[in-house]
Every structure is written in structure tokens, then in C-alpha cells.
Amino acid sequence: MDNAAALNPKNSVVVEACAGSGKTWLLVSRIVRLLLAEVAPSEILAITFTRKAAQEMQARLRDWLYDLATKDDEFVRQFLLERAIDEAELAVMLPRARGLYQQFLLAQPPLTINTFHGWFMQIVQRAPLDAGMAGGVQLIEQTGALWDEACTLFFASLHRQPDRETALSMNVLFAELGLFNTQKMLRAFADKRSEWWAYTAGQAQPLDYALAQLRDEFQVDLEADPYANLFARKHFADDVRSFAAQLNASAAQKSRAEKLLIPFDGVGSVAQRFALLWTELFTQKNEPRKITANKGQAPFYDALELVRSQVWDAYQQVQAQAIYRFNEHALRCGVAMLDRYQQLKQQQQSLDFSDLEWRVCQLLNNSEHAEYLQYKLDSRYQHVLLDEFQDTNPLQWQILQAWFDAASAVQSTPKIFVVGDPKQSIYRFRRADARLFNVVCEYLLENYQAKYLQKNTTRRNAPAVLNVVNAVFDGLADGKPKFAGFETHQAHQTALPGYVEVLPLLLATDSTSASITSQTLTLRNPLLEAYPDVDEGARELEAQAFAAKLLSMVGHWQVHADGSVRALAWGDIMVLVRRRTHLKIYEHALRAQHIPYLTSRRGGLLDTLEALDIQALLTFLMTPFADLQLAHVLRSPIFSCSDADLMMIQDSGLRIEQSGVINEKWRAAPANPESLIPNPSWWLRLQSIAHSDNATVQLNRAHDLLKSWLVLAEKLPVHDLLDKIYFDAD
């Protein structure tokens, strides 16, 4: 790639750059070139996707400018040459470069390096007062608790008015999907609200408008009865009888022929009669049932297809009605839930990312202040730099495009620098669309005469790794189609050693299910029998193979670094997984092989032995009849009871059962129905033997503390209860 063209302040540029090719270096170098060209810092806007990227860019720019101000002339000359400054200009540029650090620090307004949402927030805060955007609104990133509160309020309102149309629709969704999937669907609708608002923009009744569009798209007649209409057709009955007559010619098909004629006896509902036809013509997977005929009977298959096509058309019409009605219920509940969610945020003067994007889009496109805000942007920023553009969503681009189009209309177009890589788009869950990169590229080439450049030399990977990447994206692996616009990647360090190995695919065996079906299911006594090892699934087997591979590498493979060669160590290895969901399985495999590791998996605190002990204790305090949790707590370091102590508690119950005598302590137990049954809970058994001649010090201590904590559990908040437990148990 020609760095001179990319860094030239006079050019608008689109750079498609692969991973490790130095995109950040290029973008920050572009900023330095702009400052060297005497562009004011306040006229530069750099937008990144994450705050971390913005901070890294800001830090790198500051460090570079500091180096230009403090290091010797030779360093500065080399720095400028690397950024495509002509050698003839060095004498002029060198003193200018020396002053950039001071200019950067003192600039008012300063150079803007921000995320999309950070920049959008600035626009909202600087909007005119009568734009309806003022009022100390705050941007919230974590919306889970707010969404749960909105759900609680929404469902409570439906409960108070069960005859409302929305409540009836919600009951349908619960019946179809269940509570969890219904809530998941409503949340997905809320997450896509920008698309909903854009789709129904300008409509007085958005729901009615959307349903009308849906009816037209499905071409559905809700008043029609497709099954009844099918049987009402005279020719349909004749078609079925004609086909049945041909079936009678085959001895093997006589039974089917008779069943096809039953629905025309008029017995049963229309739906039941249709179901009889459907069963004979289609499988349970809704696929055409195989019906054979004697050789040379082409008319037979024509008759079969004639009947089957009519039955299929009626079925499709009924399905279209059902799909429409389901969407009607889903949209009605989604819109109502979204309204409640938005009202709650409005009451709390809060915006989330989607709200912010939509407000800015409306400000710059459809508000009476659009022209004013676009003018302010035009007069402020002359250079726009967009990083990681493959992760931009359509609404974000629509905001930028509104500004760029308005600037073009008044001949005040900024210079635009876009860098990204569609292959690295990973934020689809945030509505990012990698296809947008090509759309923007075409827009800038046509309207801004931008230069399109590719940067396909990576400093990150060895040639061996790139060979695999090229094979995957270039269509050489498994016959997969070529990635659109892909250019073969090259390695900057051509001599760097590398190696790629794919472990064999492992499949789980069916031994687990076979053992379950072949044996009688019995309950396990958790105090006497250990938990059985479950046969490994495919992922467990994969983790074991992975750990074994690491063992074979460390100490045997060699690392070439700083001109020396040494054996591979554990610290040289980084493990990347697609998601954290199954990371625990790999950690278990590494521990089993005594492989040291550091993990980024969060949430591991609750899996520690100490946390499990506290969870068992809290469970017992909430449900004193939880015998297994009580046994867990007694055996834990909280009380340090021995196995013999636990067996004493167990045997006390057995002796009572054999004698048929109910201990008076049990009868006196407050409000506990188990005091009158022959198999009392472990807590009642512990009460019966506490402070007896055979009871140990540990059992007596456990009884006294648990008894006091049970009383406090009904009075104290959880935090105070835990504080009391912590100090009582030492």
C-alpha cells in the first residue's frame, strides 16, 4: 500500500487493512500529518469503536508528539520520512514538528478522539434547548436491571387488567413460547427498536401500519377458512376420488385409497377431515409421503400431484394465518413493552446506546434544528477519521451520511479517512454489518473521489499461519467460496518460523445413554456414595486432547527470540476460545494434567469451595429441611464435623424408626410438621442428639450456632446475617 497516498491530508481515503497490518499506526500517523499541514487540532474528529481504542490512540499520539519535541533531530527526520514526508521538506517540517506537542496540549477546543456514542452524547448536550434534548440526561451502559424493572411493572399492569387486548396477546405468547422465550423475544424487539422506529416513522398508529404491511406481505385473508374452502370445491372431491380409484389398481395401496375417501363422508370437523388427508399424503416432517404405483402409470403421478398441491396450498394458507396472528400478538406486546421501557428511562432521565443513536439521527435528519447542527459540524470539523469501520451499524452511518450530504450541498465537504477490515467484523450482536464497509467505500469513491487502498502485509503472523488464512478465505480449503474482495495476505517477517496443526475431530460416545436405558434407575445416597463420573462429551474429549498436546509441546518445542533459542515454557502459550461458555471445561482438563494457567473467565468466585460452603449454609437457613445442604455445612470448615458425627445423626433417625418412638424434642419443635412423621429431617435429628452424652463438641457448637442463625434469618437483611455468621463462626 502507498503510505504517501494514505497520509496525504488532501486525500479522502478508504483503507482495507488486514489484522496486524498497522491500522492504528496509520490512523495516528494521518493525524500527525494533518497537524504538520497546519490543520488546527479542533478541526480533527477521530472516531473509534471502543473507549479502550480511543484511549490507546490518544496515548500513542501524545507519546509521538512528545518524542518529536524532545528527541534529537535525527530521530525526528526518520520519523517524518516514515510518514511519507518528502526529504526536500524536512528542513521546513522539522521545527514545525517540534512545536506540535505544545500545540496539542494547549489547543482549545482540543482535538477530538472519541467513540461513536461519546461523540453522539456531545451532539445531544450541545443541541438547542428547544430541541427537547436538554435536562441532565445520563448515558447508561448496563440496562439489565432497568429492563427487569420495566418487565415487572409491565406484567403487573397486565395482571391488573387481564381483559386488555395486550394481556390476551401475552397469554397467547406464554402458551406458545413459555415465559423465558417470551421475555427473550420482547428483549430482542426492544434491542431492535431503532429499526422499528425507522420502519414506522411518520405513522400515527405504528402498530396498525405494521400489521397492514404484514397482511399485504403474507397475502393473508383472516376471514377465510382454507380447509372449508378446499372441501367446498367440487372438483377437489372429484380429483381425490379419481386418484383413489387409481390407487385401487394396486393391491398394496387399497387401504390408502379407502382412507383418502373417508374425509368426504362429512363426519368430523373440517380440521379433522383435513388431518386425515394430510396424514396420507405427507409425513410428520411435512414432507411428501412416498407413494408408488405400478410401472407405466404416468397419469397416476399426475393425479397424485394434483391432489397433493391443493392440500399443500390450503395448509400454507392456514400457516400464513397462524404466522400473521402470532406476529400480531408479538408486535402488540413488543410495542407495549417498549413503551413501558422507554417511559421508565424517561422518568429516570436516562438514555442507552440505541436511544442515543436514534436521537442524534432524528436531530440531524428530521428535526427543525438539523440544518443548524449540520452547520456547526461543518464549521468545526474539516477532517474525519473513522477506525474499525467494519463494526459500524447502519444507523451510525446514516447519521454520518446526513452530515456529509449536507456538507456537500454547501461545498464544505470534510476530508474523510476510513480504515477497517470486513473479515474482522465481530459485533453483529450490536447491529454491526460488515457489508456496510463496501457501501461506504462506494459512497466515498463516488462523492469524495476517495482513494481506495489495501494493506495486506501483517506484522502479527508467521507465513505458516497466513497460508492457512489465505486458504480459508481464498476458497482453497474444503471447496468453500472465496471471500468477496479478498486479497492474499503477506507476512512482513518472511523468515519468522510458524506452525499450524488442527487436532482431529472428536465425537462423544453413546455409552451414557446406553447405560441409563440398560440399568434400573435408583437414587444415590450422597453421604455414602460418591457422585459417579459421567462419560465425557465431545467438548470434554477435545479439552483432554488439547491438554495432552500442550504437555507434548512444553519443554520439547523451541522458541527463537532475541537471537537465541530456548525450550518452550508455559508462559509462551496463549489460548484463545470463541466464547467463555465452555472455558471451565478446558480449565478442568488443564488442572487434571497439572498445567499452570491464568484465566480471564469471570464468575469463578461462586465456584470456589468457600463460596459453595456459604451457599449451602444460606440454603439451609432458608429451607431447614434441606438435609444435603446441612450435611455439607456440618462437614465444611465452618463446623468441621467428622464423618462419624454425620453417621451419628443418620443413625439417630434409624433408631427412632425402629423403635417407633418420637422424641419429645421433635414434638416440641415449633411449627414443624416433620416432628410428627417417622423420618424426621436432619435438623430435627441434630436437635435430638445435641448436648447428649454421645454428642461431640463440634455437633453441640453447630446446633447452637445454627439455632441462633435460624432465628436471625427471619429478622436480619442478608448482608447483616452474613456479617453475624462471619464473626460467630470465626
Side-chain angles (χ1 to χ4, degrees):
M1 187 196 76
D2 183 7
N3 279 348
L7 299 178
N8 190 337
K10 297 179 180 179
N11 296 333
S12 287
V13 182
V14 177
V15 180
E16 183 175 344
C18 68
S21 60
K23 292 190 290 293
T24 304
W25 182 94
L26 191 67
L27 196 144
V28 179
S29 294
R30 169 88 176 193
I31 296 176
V32 173
R33 284 292 307 269
L34 294 176
L35 295 175
L36 287 169
E38 299 184 322
V39 175
S42 60
E43 296 178 352
I44 301 173
L45 169 65
I47 298 178
T48 68
F49 193 73
T50 65
R51 282 196 298 268
K52 181 180 178 181
Q55 292 165 359
E56 290 176 352
M57 191 182 303
Q58 185 95 13
R60 182 176 296 194
L61 177 61
R62 185 177 57 252
D63 292 344
W64 283 2
L65 297 183
Y66 178 80
D67 289 341
L68 290 176
T70 59
K71 293 195 174 182
D72 57 43
D73 288 352
E74 184 57 34
F75 172 86
V76 177
R77 290 191 187 93
Q78 186 60 35
F79 181 96
L80 297 178
L81 289 173
E82 290 173 356
R83 283 148 186 84
I85 294 293
D86 190 270
E87 193 165 357
E89 300 181 42
L90 289 179
V92 176
M93 289 296 180
L94 194 146
R96 191 177 297 173
R98 293 289 195 190
L100 291 183
Y101 187 56
Q102 181 180 7
Q103 180 186 3
F104 170 75
L105 293 178
L106 300 179
Q108 290 298 330
L111 187 150
T112 303
I113 300 179
N114 210 336
T115 63
F116 265 114
H117 296 111
W119 181 57
F120 291 162
M121 197 66 182
Q122 291 179 3
I123 295 177
V124 168
Q125 291 171 341
R126 295 170 183 172
L129 293 176
D130 59 347
M133 303 293 176
V137 66
Q138 62 175 343
L139 180 64
I140 54 175
E141 299 184 31
Q142 303 297 330
T143 59
L146 198 63
W147 173 260
D148 291 341
E149 183 180 354
C151 285
T152 300
L153 296 173
F154 177 63
F155 291 140
S157 68
L158 297 182
H159 181 71
R160 290 192 296 269
Q161 297 176 299
D163 296 331
R164 278 178 53 195
E165 200 172 28
T166 304
L168 298 176
S169 291
M170 188 63 72
N171 286 332
V172 173
L173 295 182
F174 286 157
E176 290 283 335
L177 303 177
L179 175 61
F180 175 79
N181 287 325
T182 298
Q183 290 182 315
K184 184 178 179 181
M185 183 188 67
L186 293 176
R187 184 61 193 262
F189 180 82
D191 290 341
K192 297 285 186 180
R193 58 189 176 278
S194 297
E195 287 83 346
W196 167 252
W197 291 332
Y199 179 66
T200 58
Q203 301 298 324
Q205 299 294 331
L207 179 60
D208 293 342
Y209 168 78
L211 293 177
Q213 297 297 312
L214 204 60
R215 283 194 297 272
D216 293 342
E217 183 176 346
F218 286 168
Q219 296 183 348
V220 60
D221 182 1
L222 296 175
E223 304 299 326
D225 186 344
Y227 293 164
N229 294 341
L230 179 66
F231 284 104
R233 299 179 196 164
K234 181 179 179 181
H235 67 80
F236 175 67
D238 295 338
D239 292 339
V240 176
R241 292 189 179 98
S242 174
F243 174 60
Q246 296 188 57
L247 279 175
N248 270 321
S250 173
Q253 298 289 358
K254 286 184 178 294
S255 175
R256 189 184 303 277
E258 294 173 356
K259 292 179 181 179
L260 285 173
L261 295 177
I262 291 176
F264 296 92
D265 294 341
V267 179
S269 66
V270 174
Q272 291 172 334
R273 292 157 59 194
F274 181 86
L276 292 173
L277 281 177
W278 182 265
T279 301
E280 297 304 318
L281 297 173
F282 294 90
T283 67
Q284 292 183 349
K285 295 182 178 180
N286 297 340
E287 298 173 349
R289 191 176 295 280
K290 186 177 181 180
I291 303 176
T292 58
N294 297 330
K295 292 183 179 180
Q297 290 188 356
F300 170 86
Y301 294 105
D302 293 338
L304 169 60
E305 183 57 32
L306 180 61
V307 172
R308 183 176 277 159
S309 63
Q310 295 179 77
V311 172
W312 178 257
D313 288 343
Y315 172 78
Q316 289 292 90
Q317 293 174 38
V318 170
Q319 291 303 305
Q321 290 178 338
I323 292 172
Y324 170 82
R325 290 192 177 99
F326 178 84
N327 278 275
E328 180 182 16
H329 295 307
L331 281 174
R332 180 177 293 116
C333 294
V335 171
M337 178 67 217
L338 178 59
D339 289 344
R340 191 68 190 85
Y341 183 46
Q342 295 301 110
Q343 289 171 14
L344 184 60
K345 284 187 291 185
Q346 186 175 7
Q347 291 169 5
Q348 299 186 7
Q349 299 248 322
S350 299
L351 294 175
D352 61 15
F353 290 151
S354 294
D355 297 329
L356 184 61
E357 291 175 357
W358 180 253
R359 286 204 178 192
V360 175
C361 184
Q362 295 301 100
L363 272 174
L364 294 180
N365 281 281
N366 304 319
S367 75
E368 61 182 10
H369 303 285
E371 186 175 347
Y372 164 76
L373 288 170
Q374 290 163 359
Y375 171 77
K376 288 200 69 173
L377 291 174
D378 291 344
S379 60
R380 169 78 186 272
Y381 300 115
Q382 299 302 313
H383 294 269
V384 182
L385 301 93
L386 305 170
D387 189 23
E388 301 291 0
F389 200 82
Q390 74 277 357
D391 292 321
T392 302
N393 67 50
L395 191 59
Q396 291 168 343
W397 168 240
Q398 188 175 346
I399 293 169
L400 290 171
Q401 188 177 8
W403 170 24
F404 296 158
D405 288 345
S408 297
V410 294
Q411 289 79 43
S412 179
T413 55
K415 297 298 180 183
I416 303 171
F417 182 89
V418 172
V419 62
D421 183 8
K423 299 187 300 301
Q424 297 183 62
S425 181
I426 60 173
Y427 287 96
R428 189 64 182 265
F429 68 95
R430 291 187 181 176
R431 309 191 338 269
D433 193 334
R435 296 172 296 180
L436 192 62
F437 188 89
N438 293 329
V439 172
V440 174
C441 180
E442 294 176 4
Y443 172 86
L444 294 177
L445 291 177
E446 179 180 351
N447 297 285
Y448 282 75
Q449 293 72 51
K451 296 186 180 298
Y452 173 72
L453 305 170
Q454 288 185 307
K455 196 174 178 66
N456 298 317
T457 300
T458 177
R459 299 171 179 267
R460 186 174 299 171
N461 303 119
V465 176
L466 288 181
N467 290 338
V468 176
V469 174
N470 290 332
V472 170
F473 282 96
D474 210 21
L476 303 180
D478 302 327
K480 293 182 179 178
K482 181 177 179 179
F483 186 87
F486 177 76
E487 294 292 336
T488 303
H489 293 350
Q490 306 294 330
H492 177 75
Q493 304 179 69
T494 56
L496 188 67
Y499 176 72
V500 176
E501 178 181 346
V502 179
L503 296 178
L505 182 65
L506 297 173
L507 301 175
T509 62
D510 295 331
S511 58
T512 302
S513 57
S515 63
I516 291 176
T517 56
S518 61
Q519 299 177 6
T520 303
L521 184 64
T522 58
L523 297 178
R524 173 181 63 90
N525 185 337
L527 298 176
L528 301 177
E529 301 176 35
Y531 192 83
D533 291 333
V534 180
D535 288 352
E536 293 88 352
R539 201 172 297 278
E540 284 77 7
L541 296 174
E542 178 187 86
Q544 293 171 13
F546 166 70
K549 182 64 181 180
L550 292 183
L551 281 176
S552 69
M553 293 166 52
V554 172
H556 301 284
W557 287 26
Q558 293 181 332
V559 176
H560 296 252
D562 301 326
S564 62
V565 179
R566 59 175 176 80
L568 179 70
W570 295 120
D572 297 320
I573 299 173
M574 174 183 286
V575 180
L576 301 177
V577 295
R578 184 174 183 181
R579 54 172 60 96
R580 299 175 186 269
T581 308
H582 305 291
L583 200 55
K584 184 178 180 180
I585 297 173
Y586 295 96
E587 294 174 5
H588 179 75
L590 294 175
R591 283 197 302 272
Q593 295 290 353
H594 305 290
I595 297 175
Y597 66 87
L598 292 174
T599 180
S600 63
R601 183 169 64 94
R602 291 171 290 186
L605 175 64
L606 295 181
D607 294 331
T608 60
L609 294 177
E610 295 83 358
L612 292 174
D613 293 343
I614 293 297
Q615 290 179 64
L617 174 58
L618 293 177
T619 302
F620 166 74
L621 295 178
M622 290 187 295
T623 54
F625 51 83
D627 294 346
L628 185 58
Q629 281 69 29
L630 176 56
H632 180 160
V633 173
L634 293 174
R635 196 68 180 85
S636 73
I638 299 175
F639 298 120
S640 300
C641 295
S642 65
D643 290 339
D645 292 333
L646 300 189
M647 293 306 300
M648 184 185 301
I649 298 174
Q650 175 68 13
D651 292 343
S652 68
L654 294 174
R655 287 194 297 272
I656 293 301
E657 290 180 27
Q658 292 169 359
S659 65
V661 178
I662 302 297
N663 190 298
E664 289 303 318
K665 285 187 178 181
W666 297 350
R667 293 189 185 279
N672 198 324
E674 288 191 349
S675 61
L676 302 178
I677 62 176
N679 186 25
S681 69
W682 269 47
W683 172 236
L684 293 175
R685 297 182 192 198
L686 176 58
Q687 294 182 73
S688 72
I689 64 174
H691 299 288
S692 65
D693 294 339
N694 296 328
T696 64
V697 174
Q698 289 81 3
L699 285 178
N700 290 335
R701 176 174 176 270
H703 168 266
D704 295 343
L705 288 177
L706 290 173
K707 185 177 180 180
S708 66
W709 294 344
L710 280 169
V711 174
L712 294 174
E714 300 178 357
K715 303 176 181 178
L716 295 179
V718 175
H719 179 274
D720 295 336
L721 177 62
L722 286 172
D723 187 62
K724 178 68 173 172
I725 290 170
Y726 178 79
F727 285 100
D728 285 352
D730 193 19

